[in-house]
Amino acid sequence: MNNNITASLSKYLLIFIGIIALTFSTLTISANENMPEQKKEFDAGEMIFEHVLDAHDWHIISIGEHHIAIPLPIIIFDKDERVIHVFSSSRLAHEANYLGYKLPAEGEFKGKLIKESAGNSDSIIDFSITKTVFSIMFSAFLLILIFVSIAQSYKKRKDQAPKGLQSMLEPLILFIRDDVAKSAIGSKEYMRFMPFLLTVFFFIFLNNLMGIIPIFPGGSNVTGNIGITMVLAVFTFVITSFNGSKSYWTHMINMPGVPWWLKFPIPLMPIVEIMGVFTKPFVLMVRLFANMLAGHIVVLGFMSMIFIFGAINEYMGLGVSVVSVAFSVFLSLLELLVAFIQAYVFTLLSSIYIGMALEKHH
Amino acid sequence: MELVQPGIGLMFYMLLTFSLLLFILGKFAWKPIMASLKEREQTISTSLAIAKQTQEEMKRLQADNQNLLKEAKNERDMIIRDANKMKESIVNEARNKAQSEADKIVEAARENIQNEKMAAIIDLKNQVADFSIEVAEKILKRELADKESQKNLMKEDLKSINFN
C-alpha cells in the first residue's frame, strides 16, 4: 500500500516538475525579451542545480558579488604524479589555480576539479570532503551521539518506562523491529538484520530531515544524491546475496513449476530472475534519489518564481512571493512526511528482499 | 547529467562512513537497545503473568474466606439453636421437677394434715371419753346425793354433749 502512495506521490511530483520547468523556460525567454538591460539575469535551472548538486564548499549566502561560504578540504589523488594533495577549497575560489588544479565556474566541467594543464579531470581522483561528504559525516556523528546516549539510558533505566529522547525514538525502533523486520523477514531470523535496518532507517530519515533545513548544517541534498543511494542499495544487495538460501538460488537458475521451453534453449526465466536480482537494489536506489531530489527541486522552483517574476516587475515578484512562500511551506510539510515515508519504504523493501532471499521453499 | 553520475570520492566516503556507522551503532547502540527492549518485554510479560496468578490466588482465597465465614455462621447458628434447646429443656426439667416437688410437698402436707386430723380426732375422742368419764363421775356424785336431780342432770348433760 505504501508503495502505491510513494509511487503516486513521485508521479505527481514529476508532473509538478514538468509544469514548473515549462513555466520557467517560457518565463526566462520573456524576461530576456523585456529586460535586456538587466545586469545579470536569474537562471532558475542553474540556481536549482547549484543547490541540489554536491559542491566543494558550503555556500551560505551571496550579498551582491560577495559570496559567504564555508571552505571544505580538497583532497586530490593525482594518478600521473602519484601524490595526494590536501588543501582548502578557498584556494580555488573564483576559478583560482592552485597547484595546477582548478574549479571551473562555467562549461563542461562546472563544479568539478580539473587539472588545468590537461583541461579535464581524467588524471585525478577527487577525494575531497565535499558538502555531501561533510553532511554524511555530520549526520553519522549525530546518530552515534543520539543512539549511544539512548543505549546508555536503556542500560541505566533497566526495566523502566522510556524517558526523554529514549521515549521519542523507541516507538520508531519498535516500529522497525515489529512491523518491518519481524513481519517481512520472519520472527526467527530478523534479529540478525536489525542493526542494518535500523541504521539505514535512521540514516535516511535524519538526512532527509536535515535536507529540509535550509541552512548549514542542513540543506545538503544527501539522500537526493545518487552516489549515496547507490551505496545504500549496494549494502542491501550484498546482504541479500550473501544470505540467499539454497532455494533462492535454485529458483533463480531453475525455477520449478515453469514450462521447460521457458528455460531451454533460450533461458528466458533465468535471465528474468537474474535481472530481478539487480533491478531490486536499482529500484531502491532510484526511488529514494528521485523522491528526495524532486522534493528539493519543487521547493527551489517555487522560490525561483519570486525572482523570475521579480525580474519582470518588482511588485509582481512581491505578489508572487506570497504564493511561493505558501507553497514552499506546504511542500516542506509534505517533505516532512516524505522524509519518513522514504526512509520507511527503503527499510521495508530492504527487509522484504532479505526475507525473500532467506525464504526456504518446500 | 551530473545528477545521475555518482562521484567516486563521495561513494568511497559514503561506504566508509556508513560501514563505520553500522559497526559503531551495531556494537554500542543497537545491541544494548535491542537486548534491553527484549528484557523489558520479558519482564513485563512475566510480571503480567504473576499479577494474573496473584489475582486468581486472591480470588480463591476470597472464596475460601467466604466459605469459612459461612461455615462459622452456620456453626454459630447451630450453637445458638442447641443452647436454646438446652435452655428450654433445662427450664422444662426444672419446672417439672419443681412441680413434682411441689406436688410431693402438697401431698406430704395433706397426709400430715390427715394424720394431724386423725390424731386430733383420736385426741378428741379420748378427751370425750375423759369428759364422759368426768361427767359420769359428776353424775355419779350427784346421783349419789340426790337421786331425782341426779337423774335430771344426767339427762341434760347427755343432751349438751355432741359427738362430732
Side-chain angles (χ1 to χ4, degrees), chain B residues 6-77:
Chain B
I8 292 171
L10 173 62
M11 286 181 70
F12 165 76
Y13 281 117
M14 175 60 189
L15 197 67
L16 191 74
T17 310
F18 195 79
S19 308
L20 274 174
L21 183 67
L22 194 58
F23 173 75
I24 292 171
L25 285 186
K27 199 169 162 73
F28 298 109
W30 303 134
K31 205 173 161 189
I33 288 175
M34 298 314 281
S36 18
L37 277 177
K38 202 167 201 173
E39 201 176 316
R40 194 168 70 198
E41 270 158 27
Q42 271 166 359
T43 312
I44 289 171
S45 63
T46 47
S47 301
L48 281 179
I50 287 170
K52 205 171 179 187
Q53 221 176 320
T54 314
Q55 215 172 12
E56 265 162 35
E57 195 110 331
M58 280 289 287
K59 230 181 240 172
R60 222 192 52 222
L61 274 179
Q62 223 161 10
D64 278 2
N65 277 352
Q66 210 77 25
N67 278 348
L68 272 179
L69 207 66
K70 221 173 177 178
E71 263 171 45
K73 255 184 195 165
N74 280 346
E75 202 148 326
R76 190 198 63 186
D77 286 352

Side-chain angles (χ1 to χ4, degrees), chain A residues 192-193 234-245 248-249 357-358:
Chain A
R192 256 198 300 152
F193 304 100
V234 163
F235 265 96
T236 302
F237 172 74
V238 169
I239 288 173
T240 315
S241 302
F242 273 86
N243 287 290
S245 65
Y248 173 70
W249 296 110
L358 286 173

